[in-house]
Amino acid sequence: MTSTPHHGHAGHDHAAMSGVNSMALSATLHCLTGCAIGEIAGLMIGTAIGLSAGWTILLAVSLAFLFGYALSTLPLVKAGLGFGAALSLVLAADTLSIATMEVVDNAVMALIPGAMDAGLVNPVFWASMMLALTVAFFAAWPVNRYLLQRGKGHALTHGHHAGGAVSGARRFIPTLTTATLVAAIVAFMLGGFVVSVADRLGDEQVTETSHASSRR
């Protein structure tokens, strides 16, 4: 009889811990998606206009923060918060998580030989990016978990998502779940990897054909 309160308390603690872990997972995936979109966009733009490696990385990191903040701000605006108030909450909630991801992600890319100079039509770039983002996820997850346990991070924005009826121009703000965003970025990166492999195989086939012709 006396053990019932203890089991109830333990069950409550387990449920609370599970809830924090789930929120940390969702928050980390959300930030990761924004970072991935921004980084890939920055690298594509930098490569297309011929920026140096340093400027390309700066652009990619800047866009990673921009998209990371945007993906968290828009749902709050749709829920009824003003843009300024929503952005202030997001800056407080997401900055440490995004910064952690960017530091780890770029460190991993820098450590992989040739990853930074591989170019977008190169399997090395896409494989390295997927590895770097995976490592960044595992680095940022405990950061988000720590913040949530202390009522910070995404805990600051969580209560604002359950708004009332959406009216006016807010209705046109798309509702994108974390699962949808993650699926889209994974599909895009896998597509980039497949295209780069196909391009590399095509180049090798052209080279072999050229060598065969020259030997005749």
Coordinates of all heavy atoms in Angstrom, one line a residue, residues 59-124:
L59 N 28.0 33.3 -46.1 CA 26.7 33.4 -46.7 C 25.8 32.2 -46.2 O 24.7 32.4 -45.8 CB 26.7 33.4 -48.2 CG 25.4 33.4 -48.9 CD1 24.6 34.7 -48.6 CD2 25.6 33.4 -50.4
A60 N 26.4 31.0 -46.3 CA 25.7 29.8 -45.9 C 25.3 29.9 -44.4 O 24.1 29.5 -44.0 CB 26.5 28.6 -46.1
V61 N 26.2 30.3 -43.5 CA 25.9 30.4 -42.1 C 24.8 31.4 -41.8 O 23.9 31.2 -41.0 CB 27.1 30.7 -41.3 CG1 26.8 31.0 -39.8 CG2 28.1 29.5 -41.4
S62 N 24.9 32.6 -42.5 CA 23.9 33.6 -42.4 C 22.5 33.2 -42.8 O 21.5 33.4 -42.1 CB 24.3 34.9 -43.2 OG 25.6 35.4 -42.8
L63 N 22.4 32.5 -43.9 CA 21.2 32.0 -44.4 C 20.6 30.8 -43.5 O 19.4 30.7 -43.3 CB 21.3 31.5 -45.8 CG 21.4 32.5 -46.9 CD1 21.6 31.9 -48.2 CD2 20.3 33.5 -46.8
A64 N 21.6 30.1 -42.8 CA 21.1 29.0 -41.9 C 20.4 29.7 -40.7 O 19.4 29.2 -40.3 CB 22.3 28.2 -41.4
F65 N 21.0 30.7 -40.2 CA 20.3 31.4 -39.1 C 19.0 32.0 -39.6 O 17.9 32.0 -38.9 CB 21.2 32.6 -38.5 CG 22.1 32.1 -37.5 CD1 23.4 31.7 -37.8 CD2 21.8 32.1 -36.1 CE1 24.3 31.2 -36.8 CE2 22.6 31.6 -35.1 CZ 23.9 31.2 -35.5
L66 N 19.0 32.6 -40.8 CA 17.8 33.3 -41.3 C 16.6 32.3 -41.4 O 15.5 32.5 -41.0 CB 18.1 33.9 -42.7 CG 16.9 34.6 -43.4 CD1 16.3 35.7 -42.6 CD2 17.3 35.0 -44.8
F67 N 16.9 31.2 -42.1 CA 15.9 30.1 -42.3 C 15.5 29.5 -41.0 O 14.3 29.1 -40.8 CB 16.3 29.1 -43.3 CG 16.2 29.5 -44.7 CD1 17.2 30.1 -45.4 CD2 15.0 29.4 -45.4 CE1 17.1 30.5 -46.7 CE2 14.8 29.8 -46.7 CZ 15.9 30.3 -47.4
G68 N 16.5 29.3 -40.1 CA 16.1 28.7 -38.8 C 15.2 29.6 -38.0 O 14.2 29.1 -37.4
Y69 N 15.5 30.9 -38.0 CA 14.6 31.8 -37.3 C 13.2 31.9 -38.0 O 12.2 31.9 -37.3 CB 15.2 33.2 -37.3 CG 16.4 33.3 -36.3 CD1 17.5 34.2 -36.6 CD2 16.4 32.6 -35.1 CE1 18.5 34.3 -35.8 CE2 17.5 32.8 -34.3 CZ 18.6 33.6 -34.6 OH 19.6 33.7 -33.7
A70 N 13.2 31.9 -39.3 CA 12.0 32.1 -40.1 C 11.0 30.9 -39.8 O 9.8 31.1 -39.6 CB 12.3 32.2 -41.6
L71 N 11.6 29.7 -39.8 CA 10.7 28.5 -39.6 C 10.1 28.4 -38.2 O 9.0 27.8 -38.1 CB 11.5 27.2 -39.9 CG 11.9 26.9 -41.3 CD1 12.7 25.6 -41.4 CD2 10.7 26.8 -42.2
S72 N 10.7 29.1 -37.3 CA 10.1 29.2 -35.9 C 9.2 30.4 -35.7 O 8.3 30.3 -34.9 CB 11.3 29.2 -34.9 OG 12.0 28.0 -34.9
T73 N 9.5 31.5 -36.5 CA 8.7 32.7 -36.3 C 7.4 32.6 -37.0 O 6.4 33.1 -36.4 CB 9.5 33.9 -36.9 OG1 10.8 34.0 -36.2 CG2 8.8 35.2 -36.7
L74 N 7.3 32.1 -38.2 CA 6.1 32.1 -38.9 C 4.9 31.4 -38.2 O 3.8 31.9 -38.2 CB 6.3 31.5 -40.3 CG 7.1 32.3 -41.3 CD1 7.3 31.6 -42.6 CD2 6.4 33.7 -41.5
P75 N 5.1 30.2 -37.6 CA 4.0 29.6 -36.8 C 3.5 30.4 -35.7 O 2.3 30.4 -35.4 CB 4.6 28.2 -36.3 CG 5.8 28.0 -37.2 CD 6.3 29.3 -37.6
L76 N 4.4 31.2 -35.0 CA 4.0 32.0 -33.9 C 3.2 33.2 -34.4 O 2.2 33.6 -33.8 CB 5.2 32.5 -33.2 CG 6.1 31.5 -32.5 CD1 7.3 32.2 -31.8 CD2 5.2 30.8 -31.4
V77 N 3.6 33.7 -35.6 CA 2.8 34.8 -36.2 C 1.4 34.3 -36.6 O 0.4 35.0 -36.4 CB 3.5 35.4 -37.4 CG1 2.6 36.4 -38.2 CG2 4.8 36.1 -37.0
K78 N 1.4 33.1 -37.2 CA 0.1 32.5 -37.5 C -0.8 32.3 -36.3 O -2.0 32.4 -36.4 CB 0.3 31.2 -38.3 CG -1.0 30.6 -38.8 CD -0.7 29.4 -39.7 CE -2.1 28.9 -40.3 NZ -1.8 27.8 -41.3
A79 N -0.2 32.0 -35.2 CA -0.9 31.7 -34.0 C -1.5 33.0 -33.3 O -2.3 32.9 -32.4 CB -0.1 31.0 -32.9
G80 N -1.0 34.2 -33.8 CA -1.6 35.4 -33.3 C -0.6 36.4 -32.8 O -1.0 37.5 -32.5
L81 N 0.7 36.0 -32.6 CA 1.6 37.0 -32.1 C 2.0 38.0 -33.1 O 2.0 37.7 -34.3 CB 2.9 36.2 -31.6 CG 2.9 35.5 -30.3 CD1 4.2 34.8 -30.0 CD2 2.5 36.5 -29.1
G82 N 2.4 39.2 -32.7 CA 2.9 40.1 -33.6 C 4.3 39.7 -34.1 O 5.0 38.9 -33.4
F83 N 4.8 40.2 -35.3 CA 6.0 39.7 -35.8 C 7.2 40.0 -34.9 O 8.1 39.2 -34.6 CB 6.3 40.4 -37.2 CG 7.6 40.0 -37.8 CD1 7.8 38.8 -38.4 CD2 8.7 40.9 -37.7 CE1 9.0 38.4 -38.9 CE2 9.9 40.5 -38.2 CZ 10.1 39.3 -38.9
G84 N 7.2 41.2 -34.3 CA 8.3 41.6 -33.4 C 8.3 40.8 -32.2 O 9.4 40.3 -31.7
A85 N 7.2 40.5 -31.6 CA 7.1 39.7 -30.4 C 7.5 38.2 -30.7 O 8.3 37.6 -29.9 CB 5.7 39.7 -29.8
A86 N 7.1 37.7 -31.8 CA 7.4 36.4 -32.2 C 8.9 36.2 -32.5 O 9.5 35.3 -32.0 CB 6.6 36.0 -33.5
L87 N 9.5 37.2 -33.2 CA 10.9 37.1 -33.5 C 11.7 37.2 -32.2 O 12.8 36.5 -32.1 CB 11.3 38.3 -34.4 CG 12.8 38.3 -34.9 CD1 13.1 37.0 -35.6 CD2 13.0 39.5 -35.8
S88 N 11.3 38.0 -31.3 CA 12.0 38.2 -30.0 C 12.1 36.8 -29.2 O 13.1 36.4 -28.7 CB 11.4 39.2 -29.1 OG 11.5 40.5 -29.7
L89 N 10.9 36.1 -29.2 CA 10.9 34.8 -28.6 C 11.8 33.8 -29.3 O 12.5 33.1 -28.6 CB 9.4 34.3 -28.6 CG 8.5 34.8 -27.5 CD1 7.1 34.2 -27.8 CD2 9.0 34.3 -26.1
V90 N 11.7 33.8 -30.6 CA 12.5 32.9 -31.4 C 14.0 33.2 -31.2 O 14.8 32.2 -31.1 CB 12.1 32.9 -32.9 CG1 13.1 32.2 -33.7 CG2 10.7 32.4 -33.1
L91 N 14.4 34.4 -31.2 CA 15.8 34.7 -31.0 C 16.3 34.2 -29.6 O 17.4 33.7 -29.5 CB 16.0 36.3 -31.0 CG 15.9 36.9 -32.4 CD1 16.0 38.4 -32.3 CD2 17.0 36.4 -33.3
A92 N 15.5 34.3 -28.6 CA 15.8 33.8 -27.3 C 15.8 32.3 -27.2 O 16.6 31.6 -26.5 CB 14.9 34.4 -26.2
A93 N 14.9 31.7 -28.0 CA 14.7 30.2 -27.9 C 15.7 29.4 -28.8 O 16.1 28.4 -28.4 CB 13.3 29.9 -28.3
D94 N 16.0 29.9 -30.0 CA 16.7 29.1 -31.0 C 18.2 29.5 -31.2 O 18.9 28.7 -31.8 CB 16.0 29.3 -32.3 CG 14.7 28.5 -32.4 OD1 14.4 27.9 -31.4 OD2 14.0 28.5 -33.4
T95 N 18.6 30.6 -30.7 CA 20.0 31.1 -31.1 C 21.1 30.1 -30.6 O 22.0 29.7 -31.4 CB 20.3 32.5 -30.5 OG1 19.3 33.4 -31.0 CG2 21.7 32.9 -30.8
L96 N 21.0 29.6 -29.4 CA 22.0 28.7 -28.9 C 22.0 27.4 -29.7 O 23.1 26.8 -30.0 CB 21.8 28.5 -27.4 CG 22.9 27.6 -26.8 CD1 24.3 28.2 -26.9 CD2 22.6 27.4 -25.3
S97 N 20.8 26.9 -30.0 CA 20.7 25.6 -30.7 C 21.3 25.8 -32.1 O 22.1 24.9 -32.6 CB 19.2 25.2 -30.8 OG 19.1 24.1 -31.6
I98 N 20.9 26.8 -32.8 CA 21.4 27.0 -34.2 C 22.9 27.3 -34.2 O 23.6 26.7 -35.0 CB 20.7 28.2 -34.9 CG1 19.2 27.9 -35.0 CG2 21.3 28.5 -36.2 CD1 18.4 29.0 -35.6
A99 N 23.4 28.1 -33.2 CA 24.8 28.3 -33.2 C 25.6 27.0 -32.9 O 26.7 26.8 -33.5 CB 25.1 29.3 -32.0
T100 N 25.1 26.2 -32.1 CA 25.8 24.9 -31.8 C 25.8 24.1 -33.1 O 26.9 23.5 -33.4 CB 25.0 24.1 -30.7 OG1 25.0 24.8 -29.5 CG2 25.6 22.7 -30.5
M101 N 24.7 24.0 -33.8 CA 24.7 23.3 -35.1 C 25.7 23.8 -36.1 O 26.4 23.0 -36.7 CB 23.3 23.3 -35.6 CG 22.3 22.4 -34.9 SD 20.7 22.4 -35.8 CE 19.8 21.2 -34.8
E102 N 25.7 25.1 -36.2 CA 26.6 25.7 -37.2 C 28.1 25.5 -36.9 O 28.9 25.2 -37.8 CB 26.3 27.2 -37.3 CG 25.0 27.5 -38.1 CD 24.9 26.8 -39.4 OE1 25.8 27.2 -40.3 OE2 24.1 25.9 -39.6
V103 N 28.4 25.6 -35.6 CA 29.8 25.4 -35.2 C 30.2 23.9 -35.5 O 31.2 23.6 -36.2 CB 30.0 25.7 -33.8 CG1 31.4 25.2 -33.3 CG2 29.9 27.2 -33.5
V104 N 29.4 23.0 -35.1 CA 29.7 21.6 -35.3 C 29.7 21.2 -36.7 O 30.6 20.5 -37.2 CB 28.7 20.7 -34.5 CG1 28.9 19.2 -34.8 CG2 28.9 20.9 -33.0
D105 N 28.6 21.6 -37.4 CA 28.5 21.3 -38.9 C 29.7 21.7 -39.7 O 30.2 21.0 -40.5 CB 27.2 21.9 -39.4 CG 27.0 21.7 -40.9 OD1 26.9 20.6 -41.3 OD2 27.0 22.7 -41.6
N106 N 30.1 23.0 -39.5 CA 31.2 23.5 -40.3 C 32.5 22.9 -39.9 O 33.4 22.7 -40.7 CB 31.2 25.1 -40.2 CG 30.2 25.7 -41.0 OD1 30.3 25.8 -42.2 ND2 29.1 26.2 -40.4
A107 N 32.6 22.5 -38.6 CA 33.8 21.9 -38.1 C 34.0 20.5 -38.8 O 35.1 20.1 -39.2 CB 33.8 21.7 -36.6
V108 N 32.9 19.8 -38.9 CA 32.9 18.5 -39.5 C 33.3 18.6 -41.0 O 34.1 17.8 -41.5 CB 31.6 17.7 -39.3 CG1 31.6 16.4 -40.1 CG2 31.3 17.4 -37.8
M109 N 32.6 19.6 -41.6 CA 32.9 19.8 -43.1 C 34.3 20.1 -43.3 O 35.0 19.7 -44.3 CB 32.0 20.9 -43.6 CG 30.5 20.5 -43.7 SD 30.2 19.3 -45.1 CE 30.4 20.3 -46.5
A110 N 34.9 20.9 -42.4 CA 36.3 21.3 -42.5 C 37.3 20.2 -42.3 O 38.4 20.1 -42.9 CB 36.6 22.5 -41.5
L111 N 36.9 19.2 -41.5 CA 37.7 18.1 -41.1 C 37.7 17.0 -42.2 O 38.6 16.2 -42.3 CB 37.3 17.5 -39.8 CG 37.6 18.3 -38.6 CD1 37.0 17.7 -37.3 CD2 39.1 18.4 -38.4
I112 N 36.6 17.0 -43.0 CA 36.6 16.0 -44.1 C 37.4 16.5 -45.3 O 37.1 17.5 -45.9 CB 35.1 15.7 -44.5 CG1 34.3 15.2 -43.4 CG2 35.0 14.7 -45.7 CD1 32.8 15.0 -43.6
P113 N 38.4 15.7 -45.7 CA 39.3 16.2 -46.8 C 38.5 16.4 -48.1 O 37.7 15.6 -48.6 CB 40.3 15.0 -47.0 CG 40.3 14.3 -45.7 CD 38.9 14.5 -45.1
G114 N 38.6 17.6 -48.6 CA 38.0 18.0 -49.9 C 36.5 18.3 -49.9 O 36.0 18.7 -50.9
A115 N 35.9 18.3 -48.7 CA 34.4 18.5 -48.6 C 34.1 20.0 -49.0 O 33.1 20.2 -49.7 CB 33.9 18.2 -47.2
M116 N 34.9 20.9 -48.4 CA 34.6 22.3 -48.7 C 34.8 22.7 -50.1 O 34.2 23.6 -50.6 CB 35.5 23.2 -47.8 CG 35.1 23.2 -46.3 SD 33.5 24.0 -46.0 CE 33.5 24.2 -44.3
D117 N 35.7 22.0 -50.8 CA 36.0 22.4 -52.2 C 35.4 21.5 -53.2 O 35.7 21.5 -54.4 CB 37.5 22.4 -52.4 CG 38.2 23.4 -51.4 OD1 37.7 24.5 -51.2 OD2 39.3 23.0 -50.9
A118 N 34.5 20.6 -52.8 CA 34.0 19.5 -53.7 C 33.1 20.1 -54.7 O 33.0 19.6 -55.8 CB 33.3 18.5 -52.8
G119 N 32.3 21.1 -54.4 CA 31.3 21.6 -55.3 C 30.0 20.8 -55.2 O 29.9 19.7 -54.7
L120 N 28.9 21.5 -55.7 CA 27.6 20.9 -55.5 C 27.4 19.6 -56.4 O 26.6 18.8 -56.0 CB 26.5 21.9 -55.9 CG 26.5 23.1 -54.9 CD1 25.5 24.2 -55.5 CD2 26.0 22.7 -53.6
V121 N 28.1 19.5 -57.5 CA 27.9 18.3 -58.4 C 29.0 17.3 -58.1 O 29.7 16.9 -59.0 CB 27.8 18.7 -59.9 CG1 27.3 17.6 -60.7 CG2 26.9 19.9 -60.1
N122 N 29.0 17.0 -56.8 CA 30.1 16.0 -56.4 C 29.5 15.2 -55.2 O 29.1 15.8 -54.2 CB 31.3 16.8 -55.9 CG 32.5 15.9 -55.7 OD1 32.4 14.8 -55.2 ND2 33.7 16.4 -56.0
P123 N 29.5 13.9 -55.3 CA 29.0 13.1 -54.2 C 29.7 13.3 -52.9 O 29.0 13.2 -51.8 CB 29.3 11.6 -54.7 CG 29.5 11.7 -56.2 CD 30.1 13.1 -56.4
V124 N 30.9 13.7 -52.9 CA 31.7 14.0 -51.6 C 31.0 15.1 -50.9 O 30.8 15.1 -49.6 CB 33.1 14.4 -51.9 CG1 33.8 14.9 -50.6 CG2 33.9 13.2 -52.5

